[in-house]
């Protein structure tokens, strides 16, 4: 089973998105959808007993097993925890710059070997670990990686860590108890500085410790890769789908407003990767920021990167997570009265 389900905070991209102006040209009209031959209609069901009006403006939903965790970046406490057994709500990780406070959480994950939820505070380049069992909801420790790079994501397989880098030559930095090394297959855009391309291709990661596979998706353009790390000394890219690249100026790398958004939420089980697929452009997003990452399609790939199925949902949603205890996908979306709620479909 996957050791981590990673979902990117949408606010992480907002400042970058607003700053974009129109430049560049587009080479291809292809999309991820061209890879799929099977489509399935899927009805979402509201999660029974979930407290009404318990969420304000969440961006991420994450299932840890014991809890549902919501990232609420506009609240004083940035994480909301819902105990699935007691049905109680709690709030943790206050916004601030104190020793037990956070500046801006961006991603949520799970470390199965220690039963810990973790969240990344990107401005401070630190990872906060929270108990999911003995002291549920308590901050255990803050970890600041001793690495000479800026990261925007991290996933774990035991003591092995994979950091998604934002500006270095290689996409990932791996750390073990004995070594630190970079890896990743380059992606090029003709006439654009490789460092700018690397910086523009950022997005959520997911990992399968059982299969020793690591996948990442770009938020901008339809670009994804899967790596096999079964031999840690020879990590291989086994899948590279580059369907539609972001449109960047060859002069200064500024992103064109015609660039399409793609995947900002991803989760997985032992067999498949589930990617919430967005078909808006940056221009569309600027016209309706509240709805810019809502989508009604989930793409399903296997861990070899083969396209399995497109799920057409009966309502748009904002974030997804795999609930291992019930073998289902949980979705963050809007109720009929436009308040936030939790929905699901069984696998």
């Amino acid at each position: 089973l996957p050791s981590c389900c990673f979902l990117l905070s949408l606010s992480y991209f907002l400042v970058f998105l607003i700053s974009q102006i129109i430049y560049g040209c587009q080479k291809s009209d292809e999309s991820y959808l061209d890879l799929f031959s099977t489509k399935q209609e899927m009805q979402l069901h509201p999660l029974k007993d979930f407290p009404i009006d318990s969420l304000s403006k969440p961006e991420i939903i994450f299932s840890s097993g014991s809890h549902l965790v919501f990232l609420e970046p506009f609240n004083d406490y940035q994480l909301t925890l819902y105990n699935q057994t007691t049905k109680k709500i709690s709030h943790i990780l206050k916004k601030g710059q104190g020793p037990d406070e956070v500046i801006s959480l961006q991603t949520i994950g799970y470390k199965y070997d220690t039963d810990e939820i973790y969240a990344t505070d990107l401005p401070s380049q630190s990872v906060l670990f929270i108990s999911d069992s003995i002291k549920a909801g308590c901050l255990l420790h803050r970890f600041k990686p001793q690495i000479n790079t800026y990261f925007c994501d991290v996933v774990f397989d035991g003591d092995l860590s994979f950091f998604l880098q934002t500006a270095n030559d290689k996409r990932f930095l791996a750390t073990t108890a004995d070594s630190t090394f970079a890896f990743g297959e380059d992606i090029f855009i003709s006439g654009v500085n490789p460092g700018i391309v690397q910086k523009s291709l950022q997005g959520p990661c997911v990992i399968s410790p059982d299969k020793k596979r690591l996948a990442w998706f770009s938020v901008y353009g339809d670009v994804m890769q899967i790596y096999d790390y079964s031999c840690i000394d020879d990590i291989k890219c086994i899948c590279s789908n580059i369907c539609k690249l972001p449109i960047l100026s060859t002069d200064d790398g500024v992103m064109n407003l015609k660039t399409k958004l793609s995947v900002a939420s991803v989760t997985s089980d032992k067999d498949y990767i589930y990617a919430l697929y967005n078909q808006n452009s940056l221009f569309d997003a600027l016209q309706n920021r509240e709805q810019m990452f809502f989508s009604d399609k989930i793409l399903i790939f296997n861990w070899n990167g083969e396209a399995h199925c497109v799920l057409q949902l009966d309502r748009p949603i904002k974030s997804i997570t795999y609930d291992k205890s019930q073998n289902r996908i949980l979705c963050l979306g809007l109720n009929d009265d436009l308040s936030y709620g939790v929905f699901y479909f069984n696998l």
Side-chain angles (χ1 to χ4, degrees):
L1 288 173
S3 68
C4 174
C5 163
F6 241 66
L7 308 122
L8 282 191
S9 163
L10 309 184
S11 64
Y12 174 63
F13 304 101
L14 194 54
V15 173
F16 177 61
L17 184 153
I18 292 172
S19 68
Q20 306 310 305
I21 60 176
I22 297 177
Y23 276 117
C25 60
Q26 180 68 21
K27 293 176 62 178
S28 172
D29 291 325
E30 294 181 345
S31 76
Y32 285 141
L33 296 179
D34 297 324
L35 304 174
F36 292 85
S37 58
T38 303
K39 184 176 180 179
Q40 179 182 346
E41 304 288 326
M42 184 61 68
Q43 181 180 2
L44 299 182
H45 308 282
L47 186 64
K48 187 178 180 181
D49 297 329
F50 187 78
I52 298 174
D53 297 329
S54 58
L55 301 172
S56 57
K57 203 171 182 180
E59 291 189 347
I60 289 175
I61 182 175
F62 179 80
S63 174
S64 68
S66 300
H67 294 85
L68 298 184
V69 186
F70 301 89
L71 175 57
E72 302 209 67
F74 303 104
N75 291 0
D76 289 337
Y77 288 86
Q78 295 209 344
L79 290 188
T80 297
L81 275 67
Y82 171 65
N83 189 306
Q84 297 198 75
T85 302
T86 66
K87 312 300 181 185
K88 291 183 178 180
I89 294 278
S90 58
H91 305 276
I92 62 170
L93 297 185
K94 188 176 181 180
K95 190 183 297 184
Q97 299 189 42
D100 292 334
E101 296 177 332
V102 296
I103 301 172
S104 178
L105 295 182
Q106 304 296 339
T107 64
I108 307 171
Y110 199 79
K111 202 166 185 294
Y112 279 93
D113 61 319
T114 55
D115 287 328
E116 293 172 340
I117 303 163
Y118 65 88
T120 57
D121 186 25
L122 296 191
S124 68
Q125 287 288 277
S126 58
V127 184
L128 297 100
F129 290 88
I130 304 143
S131 172
D132 191 40
S133 52
I134 300 173
K135 297 179 180 179
C138 294
L139 175 62
L140 297 180
H141 60 97
R142 180 192 295 263
F143 169 60
K144 191 171 178 62
Q146 299 303 303
I147 54 178
N148 296 320
T149 187
Y150 191 92
F151 71 92
C152 64
D153 263 348
V154 61
V155 288
F156 298 96
D157 178 355
D159 293 332
L160 178 60
S161 308
F162 294 104
F163 295 92
L164 182 64
Q165 304 183 100
T166 59
N168 286 26
D169 293 339
K170 299 297 183 182
R171 188 158 305 280
F172 285 97
L173 186 74
T175 65
T176 69
D178 304 317
S179 63
T180 298
F181 58 94
F183 70 93
E185 188 173 283
D186 292 333
I187 295 172
F188 298 99
I189 297 178
S190 178
V192 180
N193 183 291
I196 294 174
V197 176
Q198 172 85 340
K199 207 167 187 178
S200 70
L201 295 175
Q202 301 296 330
C205 302
V206 68
I207 193 169
S208 171
D210 289 341
K211 295 183 181 295
K212 302 302 179 188
R213 299 284 166 87
L214 167 68
W216 74 270
F217 292 77
S218 178
V219 172
Y220 302 108
D222 287 2
V223 181
M224 64 166 287
Q225 292 180 328
I226 300 177
Y227 291 86
D228 183 335
Y229 65 94
S230 54
C231 177
I232 199 63
D233 295 323
D234 186 24
I235 298 177
K236 299 181 183 298
C237 181
I238 61 168
C239 171
S240 186
N241 284 325
I242 305 174
C243 299
K244 183 185 284 287
L245 290 163
I247 310 170
L248 302 173
S249 165
T250 56
D251 296 326
D252 51 16
V254 173
M255 193 175 289
N256 191 316
L257 288 181
K258 293 181 181 179
T259 292
K260 75 176 296 296
L261 302 175
S262 187
V263 173
S265 181
V266 62
T267 189
S268 65
D269 60 22
K270 62 184 179 64
D271 296 316
Y272 295 108
I273 301 166
Y274 304 85
L276 183 61
Y277 183 55
N278 196 311
Q279 294 178 275
N280 291 327
S281 68
L282 287 178
F283 180 82
D284 297 329
L286 287 174
Q287 305 310 302
N288 189 355
R289 294 173 193 165
E290 291 293 322
Q291 298 290 317
M292 66 180 181
F293 279 110
F294 278 81
S295 176
D296 61 0
K297 288 182 177 61
I298 294 177
L299 311 181
I300 305 178
F301 298 89
N302 66 23
W303 278 102
N304 293 321
E306 296 163 345
H308 177 68
C309 179
V310 177
L311 298 183
Q312 178 64 54
L313 309 179
D314 63 352
R315 69 171 65 215
I317 57 174
K318 193 175 188 179
S319 176
I320 58 176
T321 184
Y322 175 61
D323 181 3
K324 177 183 174 183
S325 64
Q326 301 295 323
N327 193 34
R328 61 188 179 182
I329 299 293
L330 297 175
C331 308
L332 177 65
L334 295 175
N335 295 308
D336 293 338
D337 63 359
L338 300 184
S339 64
Y340 275 94
V342 180
F343 304 86
Y344 74 93
F345 61 87
N346 293 316
L347 297 174

